[in-house]
Amino acid sequence: MAKTFKRSYKFAFKSSLLITTFLTLLMSVFLYIFYAINIWHILLFAIACFVFSFFVIQYRVERFIYKRVKKIYDDLTLLESSSFSKTQITTDMATLTQDIDRYAKDKKLEIETLKIREQYRKEFIGNVSHELKTPLFTVQGYISTLIDGAAENKTLREKYLKRADKGVERLIYIIKDLDMITKFEAGNLQLDIESFDIVELIQNVFELLEMKANKKKITLTFDMEYKNPIMVNGDKERLQQVVTNLVVNSIKYGETNGTTEVSIENLIKNKVIVRVTDNGEGIEKEHIPRLFERFYRVDKSGSRKEGGSGLGLAIVKHIIEAHHEKLYIESDYGVGSEFSFTLEKTK
Ligand SMILES: Nc1ncnc2c1ncn2[C@@H]1O[C@H](COP(=O)(O)OP(=O)(O)OP(=O)(O)O)[C@@H](O)[C@H]1O
Ligand SMILES: [Mg+2]
């Protein structure tokens, strides 16, 4: 048991003084009536009385407060051992109040964080089931129709099977995205860092998305001709996903006959910045801070029309952050958007 007291003598001093004054006066009156007053006897009595009361009071009060304060400390330490200094228990109320105050503040913060996380978890589960419901019901609808007789008709059968297949594809796509996000958030997704040519990677993405872009008559292009490779360090597969997600967005939310332009610029000595710019619908300012949250979609007709679960940009952010690089967005509503991220150049 720690016994370092921070003493306060004021209380004992004042109390002793009062008791002494009272008893001395009483004694004086007593002596006056029955004997003769001797100033020295009175003085001696006063000193003895004062010293005795002082020590009794000081000791008793300190024991009394110490016991109770110790109990409070013990009770609190049970809850939270780290917040309190174990070596010193004081009878000083200011320190105790401070300690309890700090403890209460810490707890409040902790509870708030837990509440937010709980809310987030609830929302997340709600969002997941909502996103899965739509394609699942579509698939179920087509299959029931087939069972109910549509399977007899060859053209209907093929059409419905194809649609059901599309629905399943969408389900798989959502689950893959979710899987990746969960892995990133749990922190157990390892990056496979290598040196590769970013120009080639972007060219690759352009080729893969050409058909999708053609449907909306959107041109995918570089801002200039990159004749030489630009070598960067990173996880090639995941960065390809970043570029793909950004270019797909620029197509999905781009205007017909629009252009998506990608540029690679030197930023500082060992960094490049990759920009994906479109002249599509743009994003209103109020949505920008939330864009990288999972499931966040801008609830405007244009973006609702396009299928999507709002996971794309959350994944982009996770991948870029795992590389310890920066991600930027600039957008003017009705004018277009530019998403950019930095990468480390290979020396
Ligand atoms: N280039 C862009 N132009 C305009 N709006 C965009 C652009 N990129 C993203 N957005 C807006 O940001 C929202 C979130 O994008 P995100 O890529 O995370 O999800 P999504 O495209 O809706 O779905 P997913 O990518 O998971 O299929 C989109 O719903 C869209 O409203
Ligand atoms: Mg997207």
Side-chain angles (χ1 to χ4, degrees):
M1 190 164 71
K3 274 203 184 177
T4 324
F5 291 105
K6 189 172 177 190
R7 289 165 200 272
S8 161
Y9 296 109
K10 228 158 69 192
F11 178 79
F13 183 84
K14 277 189 185 162
S15 309
S16 313
L17 206 64
L18 275 174
I19 294 172
T20 310
T21 314
F22 175 73
L23 286 182
T24 311
L25 276 177
L26 196 72
M27 192 61 162
S28 307
V29 172
F30 181 78
L31 285 179
Y32 180 74
I33 294 173
F34 296 101
Y35 306 94
I37 286 189
N38 181 327
I39 191 75
W40 292 111
H41 291 171
I42 297 283
L43 203 64
L44 196 71
F45 175 81
I47 292 171
C49 188
F50 181 83
V51 172
F52 179 73
S53 347
F54 181 85
F55 282 109
V56 170
I57 293 171
Q58 177 68 22
Y59 178 75
R60 295 284 304 145
V61 166
E62 219 164 61
R63 291 290 305 162
F64 178 81
I65 295 179
Y66 179 81
K67 265 197 208 148
R68 272 154 186 75
V69 167
K70 173 135 194 347
K71 175 137 181 28
I72 296 178
Y73 271 99
D74 284 351
D75 288 352
L76 287 177
T77 339
L78 263 186
L79 294 172
E80 176 78 279
S81 51
S82 59
S83 307
F84 295 102
S85 42
K86 288 200 188 69
T87 47
Q88 194 181 30
I89 293 176
T90 75
T91 51
D92 174 25
M93 284 301 151
T95 319
L96 177 69
T97 321
Q98 253 176 33
D99 269 0
I100 291 183
D101 222 45
R102 200 188 57 222
Y103 174 80
K105 273 193 194 125
D106 282 357
K107 286 289 145 198
K108 197 166 165 242
L109 207 76
E110 207 175 310
I111 290 170
E112 268 164 18
T113 322
L114 285 176
K115 268 190 192 154
I116 291 171
R117 219 178 282 164
E118 172 65 11
Q119 182 63 27
Y120 193 54
R121 197 185 60 84
K122 272 190 199 146
E123 252 173 46
F124 179 65
I125 294 177
N127 283 330
V128 170
S129 28
H130 179 80
E131 285 306 324
L132 294 180
K133 231 161 36 191
T134 323
L136 204 57
F137 285 169
T138 316
V139 174
Q140 192 199 28
Y142 286 121
I143 291 177
S144 325
T145 322
L146 283 170
I147 291 172
D148 288 346
E152 312 290 333
N153 180 325
K154 188 162 179 292
T155 33
L156 272 187
R157 186 171 66 209
E158 236 160 62
K159 194 164 131 194
Y160 287 1
L161 277 176
K162 266 192 190 137
R163 286 187 185 172
D165 189 49
K166 265 243 158 75
V168 174
E169 219 171 73
R170 172 102 198 103
L171 278 173
I172 292 173
Y173 172 83
I174 295 174
I175 287 173
K176 267 193 186 156
D177 273 3
L178 271 174
D179 191 45
M180 182 179 298
I181 283 204
T182 327
K183 276 193 186 136
F184 264 119
E185 282 178 3
N188 52 15
L189 204 78
Q190 292 296 317
L191 292 181
D192 186 8
I193 305 284
E194 59 184 313
S195 173
F196 64 90
D197 177 12
I198 184 77
V199 180
E200 186 197 317
L201 180 138
I202 295 166
Q203 190 64 53
N204 221 356
V205 172
F206 280 174
E207 275 160 28
L208 286 170
L209 295 174
E210 204 175 272
M211 286 245 289
K212 203 179 177 72
N214 279 346
K215 273 190 200 154
K216 267 183 100 167
K217 299 201 169 60
I218 286 177
T219 320
L220 305 178
T221 168
F222 281 107
D223 65 322
M224 55 177 248
E225 200 179 337
Y226 290 93
K227 286 189 184 122
N228 301 318
I230 299 173
M231 301 303 286
V232 294
N233 294 332
D235 186 322
K236 191 175 173 186
E237 203 178 309
R238 307 231 179 272
L239 288 170
Q240 170 146 359
Q241 178 157 24
V242 167
V243 178
T244 308
N245 285 4
L246 293 180
V247 175
V248 168
N249 278 353
S250 80
I251 299 171
K252 266 164 60 171
Y253 311 111
E255 305 291 342
T256 317
N257 292 320
T259 309
T260 297
E261 191 179 274
V262 178
S263 71
I264 310 156
E265 289 160 38
N266 282 319
L267 194 61
I268 44 175
K269 207 168 72 204
N270 61 338
K271 298 267 179 195
V272 289
I273 185 162
V274 179
R275 297 181 206 272
V276 181
T277 316
D278 65 53
N279 48 8
E281 64 186 48
I283 304 155
E284 281 165 300
K285 280 222 159 29
E286 68 211 67
H287 297 291
I288 291 181
R290 300 199 55 195
L291 227 52
F292 297 100
E293 284 174 26
R294 46 190 186 189
F295 297 115
Y296 191 80
R297 304 199 72 213
V298 179
D299 215 355
K300 275 266 151 46
S301 56
S303 96
R304 272 292 155 208
K305 200 169 67 207
E306 296 288 346
S309 44
L311 291 172
L313 287 177
I315 290 175
V316 166
K317 183 164 181 261
H318 273 301
I319 295 176
I320 297 299
E321 278 178 359
H323 280 83
H324 305 293
E325 296 292 346
K326 294 258 182 300
L327 175 65
Y328 304 99
I329 164 168
E330 266 173 53
S331 189
D332 267 335
Y333 189 53
V335 178
S337 318
E338 179 184 287
F339 290 83
S340 53
F341 58 93
T342 57
L343 282 178
E344 191 188 70
K345 270 194 284 192
T346 310
K347 286 192 190 79

